[in-house]
Amino acid sequence: MKFFTLIFAFIFCICTAAGTDIPDKLMEDEQLAFMMCDLDDTTGLTWLEVQTCEETYAVEIAENNIPIPSEDNFNAADLDKDGTLLFVEWMEWVEAEESTEESTE
């Protein structure tokens, strides 16, 4: 069950975290999800790995109405545009989105 929670947290985070304060628990879940979705044991996630997680857990995702990231979400968070999303990139992306939203308020 914890595995499913982690996958959901990852998928939810990449779609919705921009512009929000992320609770510590969610951050921990996100880090674990990055590790669990990593199919090739290299640092970071590729879009293929994200898609594979989405496909593997499609039923659970649908049952829980979890928003899934688009490839555009993934590419936006992949700050160095190398095709691999690192956790640190994801965090920087979230922080940049928060700054943008705060400056427009």
Side-chain angles (χ1 to χ4, degrees):
M1 184 64 174
K2 183 163 176 90
F3 181 71
F4 293 127
T5 302
L6 296 175
I7 298 303
F8 296 150
F10 167 71
I11 292 170
F12 182 76
C13 283
I14 200 170
C15 286
T16 63
T20 64
D21 291 324
I22 303 169
D24 290 340
K25 174 70 173 123
L26 191 54
M27 290 301 299
E28 291 170 14
D29 289 348
E30 179 74 6
Q31 289 172 323
L32 289 173
F34 259 76
M35 290 187 312
M36 296 177 91
C37 289
D38 182 10
L39 302 175
D40 59 8
D41 294 324
T42 61
T43 303
L45 297 174
T46 64
W47 176 242
L48 179 61
E49 289 172 313
V50 172
Q51 284 181 305
T52 300
C53 275
E54 291 173 359
E55 291 167 5
T56 300
Y57 301 103
V59 172
E60 292 86 356
I61 291 168
E63 287 174 351
N64 291 285
N65 296 318
I66 304 295
I68 57 172
S70 68
E71 191 169 5
D72 288 340
N73 296 134
F74 178 89
N75 290 332
D78 179 18
L79 300 179
D80 66 3
K81 307 301 181 205
D82 68 352
T84 301
L85 178 60
L86 303 176
F87 187 78
V88 69
E89 286 179 310
W90 180 82
M91 286 298 305
E92 289 176 18
W93 176 68
V94 170
E95 291 170 4
E97 292 295 316
E98 287 176 352
S99 295
T100 301
E101 291 221 355
E102 288 174 4
S103 67
T104 60
E105 291 178 355

